[in-house]
C-alpha cells in the first residue's frame, strides 16, 4: 500500500496502539474515583498532561483534553463567543478555515454574532491591512488556521498575533492541527487558544486537545462532573490521552531531524509533477512540507483517485470532511483558482514515513492513469 492521504489521517504508530491497549486493559478505573486504582489512573493522566505540556512548551494546567480537532475548535470559538459576548459580538476569521471552525462561525451568526471572513491572497494568506481594518472595539475573537489542510498554505501566525495583541483586546485562536511538528512557529507566545488533533500525528482518532492560556476565560460547552478544570466535563478518555502523549513524543522526535528532508521531498515531487503537461499546480510557493495540491483539468478527480486505488495508492480530493460534496473547494476558490480547476483538485499528503520509492510509483501510475483517461475521452 502507498498511503498518501496523511492530512486526512495518519497511521497510528505501533507504540501508540500498544499504549492504548495497555491503558484500556490495565488502567480502566475512573480517574476521579477515590480508591487506589482511581489514583493510579489519575497519575497516568497527569503524566500524559505533563509530557504534552512540556513538548508544546506550555503549562500543564493549560492543556484541556478533548475528542479531537473539531471539538477543540468548537470549544475555542463558541466558548469564547459565549463567555465574552457582553464585551462585544464581533468575530474575525478567514475564508479558508476548516469546516469545524467555519460551521461554528455560521452557527454563531445565526445566534446574532457578527462575523468577518477575511479574504486570502494567492498564497492563502490574509492581509495585515485587512486584519487591522476589521478589528473593532467589539471584536472578541480572531480565529485562524496555521496550516491549511487542503493546500498547505501558511498563515504568518506570529505577525498576525502581534497585530491582534497590539491593536485590540480580542482573543486569538489558532487551529494548529496541520502545522504542529511540520511548520515551526512560536504559536503559544501569541495565541490564547490552540487546537490539536492526535490522529494527525500518528495518534488515535477521537483524541485531541485545546491549549488555553492560564488567564483566558472560556464558557464550557460540556457541563457535568467538572473534569479538565471545569472546561470539559465527561469521564476522561484515558487510553486516548495516554496514547496521544506517546504519539506526540515520537512524532516530535521524528520532526526534529526530518522536517527539512520532508520539505525537500515535497519540492522534488512538485517539480516532477509539473513535468506532466496535464498537471496544474495549486500548492502555494510558501507551504507546509507535507501537502501537494494539483489539478488535472478535464478529468474528474474521483476517477483518478479510483484509478490509483486500483494500484493500492491512496490520495484524496480535498479535506476528508468535505470530500463528498460536489461543490468546488472553498479554499481553492478563495485562493483565486477557477471553479473548473478547483473542482479537479487532487491532494497528496506525505508523512515522515513517506519514501521516494513510493512517490516514484505514484508518479508513474498517475501519468499512466492520465494518459489512459485522455485516450478514452478522445
Ligand atoms: C485543520 C484541521 N482542523 C481541524 C480538523 C478536525 O480534527 P478532527 O478530525 O480531530 O476532529 C482537521 C481534520 O481534518 C483539520 O485538518
Amino acid at each position: 500500500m502507498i498511503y498518501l492521504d496523511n492530512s486526512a489521517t495518519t497511521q497510528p504508530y505501533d507504540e501508540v496502539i500498544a499504549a492504548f491497549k495497555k491503558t484500556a486493559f490495565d488502567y480502566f478505573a475512573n480517574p476521579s474515583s477515590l480508591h487506589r486504582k482511581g489514583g493510579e489512573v489519575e497519575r497516568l493522566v497527569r503524566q500524559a498532561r505533563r509530557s504534552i505540556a512540556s513538548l508544546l512548551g506550555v503549562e500543564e494546567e493549560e492543556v484541556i483534553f478533548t475528542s479531537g480537532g473539531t471539538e477543540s475548535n468548537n470549544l475555542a470559538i463558541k466558548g469564547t463567543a459565549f463567555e465574552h459576548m457582553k464585551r462585544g459580538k464581533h468575530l474575525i476569521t478567514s475564508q479558508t478555515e476548516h469546516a469545524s471552525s467555519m460551521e461554528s462561525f455560521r452557527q454563531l451568526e445565526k445566534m446574532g454574532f457578527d462575523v468577518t471572513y477575511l479574504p486570502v491572497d494567492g498564497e492563502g494568506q490574509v492581509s495585515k491591512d485587512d486584519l487591522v481594518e476589521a478589528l473593532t472595539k467589539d471584536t472578541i475573537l480572531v480565529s485562524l488556521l496555521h496550516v491549511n489542510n487542503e493546500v498547505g498554505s501558511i498563515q504568518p501566525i506570529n505577525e498576525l498575533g502581534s497585530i491582534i495583541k497590539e491593536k485590540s483586546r480580542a482573543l486569538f485562536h489558532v487551529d494548529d492541527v496541520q502545522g504542529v511538528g511540520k511548520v515551526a512557529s512560536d504559536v503559544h507566545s501569541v495565541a490564547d487558544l490552540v487546537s490539536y488533533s492526535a490522529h494527525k500525528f500518528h495518534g488515535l482518532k477521537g483524541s485531541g486537545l485545546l491549549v488555553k492560556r492560564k488567564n483566558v476565560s472560556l464558557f464550557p460547552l460540556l457541563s457535568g462532573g467538572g473534569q479538565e478544570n471545569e472546561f470539559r466535563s465527561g469521564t476522561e478518555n484515558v487510553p486516548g490521552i495516554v496514547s496521544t502523549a506517546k504519539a506526540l513524543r515520537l512524532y516530535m522526535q521524528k520532526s526534529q531531524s526530518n522536517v527539512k528532508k520532508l520539505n525537500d521531498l515535497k519540492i522534488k515531487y512538485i517539480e516532477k509533477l509539473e513535468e506532466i503537461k496535464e498537471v496544474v499546480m495549486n500548492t502555494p510557493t510558501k507551504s507546509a512540507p507535507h501537502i501537494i495540491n494539483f489539478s488535472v483539468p478535464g478529468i474528474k478527480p474521483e476517477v483518478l483517485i479510483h484509478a490509483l486505488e486500483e494500484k493500492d495508492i491512496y490520495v484524496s480530493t480535498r479535506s476528508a470532511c468535505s470530500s463528498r460534496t460536489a461543490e468546488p473547494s472553498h479554499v481553492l476558490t478563495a485562493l483565486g483558482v477557477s471553479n473548473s480547476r478547483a473542482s479537479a483538485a487532487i491532494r497528496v499528503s506525505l508523512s515522515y514515513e513517506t519514501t521516494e520509492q513510493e512517490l516514484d510509483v505514484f508518479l508513474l501510475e498517475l501519468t499512466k492513469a492520465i494518459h489512459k483517461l485522455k485516450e478514452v475521452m478522445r
Side-chain angles (χ1 to χ4, degrees):
M1 172 175 79
I2 299 181
Y3 182 75
L4 299 171
D5 195 14
N6 290 283
S7 285
T9 198
T10 53
Q11 183 174 18
Y13 295 135
D14 291 348
E15 296 90 330
V16 165
I17 296 178
F20 183 92
K21 224 169 132 186
K22 183 163 177 51
T23 311
F25 205 72
D26 293 344
Y27 297 93
F28 62 84
N30 189 321
S32 299
S33 290
L34 289 180
H35 51 65
R36 182 161 48 86
K37 288 285 168 199
E40 282 171 11
V41 177
E42 193 200 2
R43 267 196 298 286
L44 271 190
V45 174
R46 217 180 307 139
Q47 275 166 15
R49 196 185 303 281
R50 190 175 310 141
S51 164
I52 288 172
S54 129
L55 287 164
L56 296 176
V58 300
E59 293 186 28
E60 284 168 54
E61 64 190 277
E62 297 181 319
V63 173
I64 304 172
F65 289 116
T66 67
S67 65
T70 298
E71 186 187 328
S72 297
N73 285 347
N74 271 262
L75 176 57
I77 295 165
K78 294 179 198 166
T80 301
F82 300 156
E83 181 73 12
H84 300 277
M85 58 200 275
K86 286 202 192 79
R87 204 154 55 71
K89 291 186 100 178
H90 180 232
L91 312 160
I92 300 177
T93 188
S94 87
Q95 291 176 359
T96 53
E97 298 300 302
H98 185 265
S100 53
S101 293
M102 215 54 150
E103 293 308 315
S104 297
F105 283 110
R106 300 266 185 241
Q107 270 187 313
L108 289 170
E109 271 183 308
K110 285 190 194 138
M111 296 172 74
F113 286 87
D114 176 23
V115 184
T116 302
Y117 298 90
L118 296 174
V120 297
D121 60 17
E123 285 289 297
Q125 297 190 338
V126 301
S127 120
K128 294 172 196 92
D129 292 343
D130 285 351
L131 173 65
V132 172
E133 209 172 301
L135 286 166
T136 70
K137 64 175 185 7
D138 288 333
T139 312
I140 51 171
L141 175 72
V142 180
S143 172
L144 294 170
L145 257 182
H146 181 200
V147 168
N148 184 275
N149 48 302
E150 285 189 34
V151 291
S153 54
I154 303 170
Q155 281 305 348
I157 287 304
N158 291 90
E159 279 175 69
L160 299 172
S162 306
I163 293 174
I164 296 162
K165 293 284 158 247
E166 188 192 319
K167 308 254 178 220
S168 76
R169 289 175 60 212
L171 294 182
F172 185 30
H173 165 241
V174 175
D175 174 345
D176 205 16
V177 165
Q178 296 283 346
V180 61
K182 301 263 176 39
V183 179
S185 78
D186 208 0
V187 63
H188 296 289
S189 69
V190 287
D192 301 287
L193 299 146
V194 185
S195 301
Y196 297 98
S197 168
H199 73 103
K200 309 291 180 171
F201 50 79
H202 306 270
L204 296 165
K205 292 160 196 68
S207 296
L209 55 128
L210 177 70
V211 169
K212 181 192 76 61
R213 297 314 324 224
K214 251 185 329 203
N215 53 344
V216 171
S217 56
L218 206 58
F219 189 91
L221 301 186
L222 299 180
S223 321
Q227 288 90 344
E228 296 303 290
N229 246 335
E230 309 276 335
F231 289 109
R232 203 275 185 182
S233 284
T235 304
E236 296 86 341
N237 170 8
V238 182
I241 290 171
V242 171
S243 58
T244 297
K246 174 70 92 184
L248 190 62
R249 188 164 58 73
L250 295 172
Y251 171 77
M252 289 306 230
Q253 279 164 2
K254 291 218 165 133
S255 142
Q256 272 171 10
S257 42
N258 290 304
V259 75
K260 183 176 178 308
K261 218 165 92 193
L262 186 63
N263 200 44
D264 291 346
L265 199 64
K266 177 197 75 171
I267 293 169
K268 180 169 175 180
Y269 282 86
I270 283 184
E271 283 168 9
K272 286 185 182 244
L273 277 162
E274 281 175 332
E275 284 168 17
I276 307 175
K277 72 174 190 324
E278 290 84 358
V279 164
V280 188
M281 198 51 61
N282 300 320
T283 313
T285 350
K286 188 169 178 290
S287 66
H290 62 305
I291 302 179
I292 302 175
N293 189 307
F294 62 91
S295 297
V296 185
I299 299 185
K300 285 205 172 89
E302 51 278 21
V303 178
L304 268 180
I305 284 172
H306 294 312
L308 289 168
E309 170 193 282
E310 294 289 306
K311 306 287 171 193
D312 216 12
I313 300 170
Y314 302 92
V315 300
S316 65
T317 45
R318 54 167 91 170
S319 96
C321 311
S322 41
S323 59
R324 290 179 199 282
T325 81
E327 295 292 304
S329 148
H330 74 286
V331 175
L332 286 170
T333 46
L335 260 72
V337 168
S338 68
N339 275 0
S340 61
R341 200 172 116 197
S343 308
I346 303 264
R347 179 183 69 179
V348 173
S349 46
L350 320 178
S351 78
Y352 289 122
E353 271 67 38
T354 307
T355 63
E356 288 210 19
Q357 289 82 344
E358 288 178 319
L359 290 171
D360 282 338
V361 176
F362 156 70
L363 259 185
L364 180 72
E365 294 300 339
L366 175 75
T367 314
K368 280 204 243 170
I370 292 174
H371 291 162
K372 206 163 143 192
L373 290 165
K374 286 262 157 178
E375 202 58 34
V376 176
M377 284 156 65
R378 245 190 232 173

PDB file of all heavy atoms in Angstrom, residues 35 85 88 109 144 158 161 181 194 255 261 298 367:
ATOM      1  N   HIS A  35     -10.488   5.538  45.255  1.00  0.00           N
ATOM      2  CA  HIS A  35      -9.672   4.379  45.646  1.00  0.00           C
ATOM      3  C   HIS A  35      -8.327   4.360  44.908  1.00  0.00           C
ATOM      4  O   HIS A  35      -8.077   5.172  44.011  1.00  0.00           O
ATOM      5  CB  HIS A  35     -10.452   3.067  45.440  1.00  0.00           C
ATOM      6  CG  HIS A  35     -11.066   2.929  44.084  1.00  0.00           C
ATOM      7  ND1 HIS A  35     -10.336   2.825  42.935  1.00  0.00           N
ATOM      8  CD2 HIS A  35     -12.370   2.904  43.703  1.00  0.00           C
ATOM      9  CE1 HIS A  35     -11.138   2.701  41.906  1.00  0.00           C
ATOM     10  NE2 HIS A  35     -12.391   2.765  42.348  1.00  0.00           N
ATOM     11  N   MET A  85     -19.423  37.628  25.213  1.00  0.00           N
ATOM     12  CA  MET A  85     -20.416  38.351  24.406  1.00  0.00           C
ATOM     13  C   MET A  85     -20.862  39.671  25.037  1.00  0.00           C
ATOM     14  O   MET A  85     -21.312  40.564  24.321  1.00  0.00           O
ATOM     15  CB  MET A  85     -21.617  37.469  24.077  1.00  0.00           C
ATOM     16  CG  MET A  85     -22.334  36.915  25.257  1.00  0.00           C
ATOM     17  SD  MET A  85     -23.322  35.483  24.787  1.00  0.00           S
ATOM     18  CE  MET A  85     -24.783  36.276  24.229  1.00  0.00           C
ATOM     19  N   GLY A  88     -18.644  42.320  23.493  1.00  0.00           N
ATOM     20  CA  GLY A  88     -18.787  42.596  22.059  1.00  0.00           C
ATOM     21  C   GLY A  88     -19.244  41.341  21.347  1.00  0.00           C
ATOM     22  O   GLY A  88     -19.115  40.239  21.875  1.00  0.00           O
ATOM     23  N   GLU A 109     -23.332  33.120  13.783  1.00  0.00           N
ATOM     24  CA  GLU A 109     -24.016  34.179  13.009  1.00  0.00           C
ATOM     25  C   GLU A 109     -25.531  34.071  13.197  1.00  0.00           C
ATOM     26  O   GLU A 109     -26.221  35.064  13.389  1.00  0.00           O
ATOM     27  CB  GLU A 109     -23.683  34.033  11.523  1.00  0.00           C
ATOM     28  CG  GLU A 109     -22.434  34.786  11.132  1.00  0.00           C
ATOM     29  CD  GLU A 109     -22.181  34.685   9.634  1.00  0.00           C
ATOM     30  OE1 GLU A 109     -22.162  33.554   9.103  1.00  0.00           O
ATOM     31  OE2 GLU A 109     -21.979  35.736   8.998  1.00  0.00           O
ATOM     32  N   LEU A 144      -7.783  31.697  13.344  1.00  0.00           N
ATOM     33  CA  LEU A 144      -7.168  31.401  12.041  1.00  0.00           C
ATOM     34  C   LEU A 144      -6.496  30.036  12.045  1.00  0.00           C
ATOM     35  O   LEU A 144      -5.964  29.595  13.074  1.00  0.00           O
ATOM     36  CB  LEU A 144      -6.118  32.471  11.702  1.00  0.00           C
ATOM     37  CG  LEU A 144      -6.640  33.894  11.461  1.00  0.00           C
ATOM     38  CD1 LEU A 144      -5.477  34.877  11.391  1.00  0.00           C
ATOM     39  CD2 LEU A 144      -7.470  33.981  10.183  1.00  0.00           C
ATOM     40  N   ASN A 158       2.608  34.436  13.832  1.00  0.00           N
ATOM     41  CA  ASN A 158       3.268  35.301  14.826  1.00  0.00           C
ATOM     42  C   ASN A 158       3.062  36.778  14.537  1.00  0.00           C
ATOM     43  O   ASN A 158       2.740  37.558  15.437  1.00  0.00           O
ATOM     44  CB  ASN A 158       4.745  34.936  14.952  1.00  0.00           C
ATOM     45  CG  ASN A 158       4.888  33.574  15.604  1.00  0.00           C
ATOM     46  OD1 ASN A 158       4.918  32.549  14.923  1.00  0.00           O
ATOM     47  ND2 ASN A 158       4.876  33.541  16.918  1.00  0.00           N
ATOM     48  N   GLY A 161      -0.633  37.581  15.113  1.00  0.00           N
ATOM     49  CA  GLY A 161      -0.912  37.565  16.549  1.00  0.00           C
ATOM     50  C   GLY A 161      -0.423  38.837  17.219  1.00  0.00           C
ATOM     51  O   GLY A 161      -1.108  39.401  18.085  1.00  0.00           O
ATOM     52  N   GLY A 181       4.570  20.219  14.484  1.00  0.00           N
ATOM     53  CA  GLY A 181       5.642  19.301  14.084  1.00  0.00           C
ATOM     54  C   GLY A 181       5.993  19.369  12.610  1.00  0.00           C
ATOM     55  O   GLY A 181       6.810  18.580  12.124  1.00  0.00           O
ATOM     56  N   VAL A 194      -5.115  27.195  21.272  1.00  0.00           N
ATOM     57  CA  VAL A 194      -4.552  26.470  20.126  1.00  0.00           C
ATOM     58  C   VAL A 194      -5.122  25.050  20.087  1.00  0.00           C
ATOM     59  O   VAL A 194      -5.094  24.340  21.099  1.00  0.00           O
ATOM     60  CB  VAL A 194      -3.002  26.406  20.196  1.00  0.00           C
ATOM     61  CG1 VAL A 194      -2.435  25.755  18.937  1.00  0.00           C
ATOM     62  CG2 VAL A 194      -2.392  27.786  20.384  1.00  0.00           C
ATOM     63  N   SER A 255      10.118  14.745  13.819  1.00  0.00           N
ATOM     64  CA  SER A 255      10.024  16.052  13.188  1.00  0.00           C
ATOM     65  C   SER A 255      11.361  16.796  13.267  1.00  0.00           C
ATOM     66  O   SER A 255      11.808  17.398  12.298  1.00  0.00           O
ATOM     67  CB  SER A 255       8.891  16.833  13.849  1.00  0.00           C
ATOM     68  OG  SER A 255       9.198  18.177  13.981  1.00  0.00           O
ATOM     69  N   LYS A 261      14.069  17.273   5.306  1.00  0.00           N
ATOM     70  CA  LYS A 261      14.048  16.169   4.335  1.00  0.00           C
ATOM     71  C   LYS A 261      12.654  16.061   3.697  1.00  0.00           C
ATOM     72  O   LYS A 261      12.519  15.888   2.487  1.00  0.00           O
ATOM     73  CB  LYS A 261      14.378  14.866   5.076  1.00  0.00           C
ATOM     74  CG  LYS A 261      15.230  13.926   4.275  1.00  0.00           C
ATOM     75  CD  LYS A 261      15.818  12.845   5.143  1.00  0.00           C
ATOM     76  CE  LYS A 261      14.938  11.618   5.169  1.00  0.00           C
ATOM     77  NZ  LYS A 261      15.271  10.660   6.210  1.00  0.00           N
ATOM     78  N   GLY A 298     -10.199  18.797 -16.686  1.00  0.00           N
ATOM     79  CA  GLY A 298     -10.820  17.930 -17.704  1.00  0.00           C
ATOM     80  C   GLY A 298     -11.006  16.505 -17.201  1.00  0.00           C
ATOM     81  O   GLY A 298     -11.741  15.725 -17.799  1.00  0.00           O
ATOM     82  N   THR A 367       0.747   9.195 -14.107  1.00  0.00           N
ATOM     83  CA  THR A 367       0.970   9.515 -15.523  1.00  0.00           C
ATOM     84  C   THR A 367       0.215   8.520 -16.410  1.00  0.00           C
ATOM     85  O   THR A 367      -0.473   8.905 -17.357  1.00  0.00           O
ATOM     86  CB  THR A 367       2.485   9.490 -15.852  1.00  0.00           C
ATOM     87  OG1 THR A 367       3.151  10.207 -14.828  1.00  0.00           O
ATOM     88  CG2 THR A 367       2.791  10.093 -17.189  1.00  0.00           C
TER      89      THR A 367
END
